[in-house]
Amino acid sequence: RLPTNHGVSTDPSAQGSNDVNNRWRLAKKSVMAPVRTIAVIIAMEAEAAPLVAHLGLKLRGASPFKGPLPALVFSGEVGGATVHVCTNGKALGFGVDSVGTVPAALTAYNVCITLEPDVLINAGTAGGFKAKGGAIGDVYLATAFKNHDRRIPIPGFDAYGVGTSSAAACPALRAAMGFKDGVVSTGNSLDATPMDLDNLKANNASVKEMEAAGIAHVATMFGVPLIAIKAITDIVDGDKPTQDEFMENLGAAAEALQGAVPKVIAFIAGKELSAL
């Protein structure tokens, strides 16, 4: 039997889902609305700890999220805005930080549903490229998000695999901060295979990391502007093993985030989105 609804479900059970989607689309943030609630998503607790301490945020005793999500939320008032720093929490059964796109997307979805931020910030450490002028300790503001390990060589699905989405433009913020700009490319491995490297080059990536594209997918669903701030811990096209260079520079990069993220928060808090 051929469908006559052009792909739109006529199943009554699906109507509630459509209503929810429509409500969120209609609730996209007005560019004239001031930024009053900011959520910062950071994968690893070691990355987040200096920032949480610097901002004086407090761990919420009871999780605001429903279900077994292990994400932790640290909240407080900063510069006239409510700021939540959210980490993905520990992976059940493994006892390590929940890194990668799946935990990041789960955290982002729950943040958008429950905390209703005006702006999302994804902050974290990442790899840079000497071919793009990157160096250890550099801080980048994302211009766009792509995936480099979702390889689906079927027309239409190939573009979906890359999943290109734009970061919040915020030209005034970029001018004020003076950070480097570049495309952030996401994959679920710390290292990069030869095919990953080819895709990173095709993506014109300046930054390689493991969460941002997953968060961007959710931010696009909710119509929430996403800013990504990435501090470089390792050089992808360098001569040191990635895991060694990452661990060697993790603390320094976390300190760089402690310096960068509060400046971004201070700049955007209370401003209209159109002024960013």
Side-chain angles (χ1 to χ4, degrees), residues 95-223:
V96 298
D97 293 295
S98 300
V99 300
T101 55
V102 172
L106 284 169
T107 299
Y109 187 88
N110 280 273
V111 165
C112 289
I113 283 282
T114 305
L115 303 179
E116 299 185 0
D118 299 310
V119 172
L120 269 175
I121 297 174
N122 173 222
T125 57
F129 296 83
K130 62 181 181 182
K132 303 285 285 186
I136 301 297
D138 282 349
V139 176
Y140 281 83
L141 278 179
T143 55
F145 307 101
K146 301 183 181 182
N147 295 279
H148 58 260
D149 65 351
R150 297 204 313 187
R151 297 178 288 274
I152 314 174
I154 300 172
F157 286 92
D158 50 0
Y160 164 76
V162 176
T164 303
S165 59
S166 297
C170 38
L173 172 66
R174 294 179 190 279
M177 295 297 105
F179 301 141
K180 292 185 174 182
D181 283 338
V183 173
V184 173
S185 191
T186 300
N188 277 290
S189 295
L190 184 65
D191 64 0
T193 68
M195 186 169 287
D196 287 337
L197 292 173
D198 288 343
N199 291 339
L200 284 158
K201 185 175 181 179
N203 286 350
N204 193 31
S206 293
V207 176
K208 170 192 172 293
E209 54 81 80
M210 298 178 64
E211 286 85 25
I215 296 170
H217 180 81
V218 175
T220 299
M221 290 171 59
F222 284 92

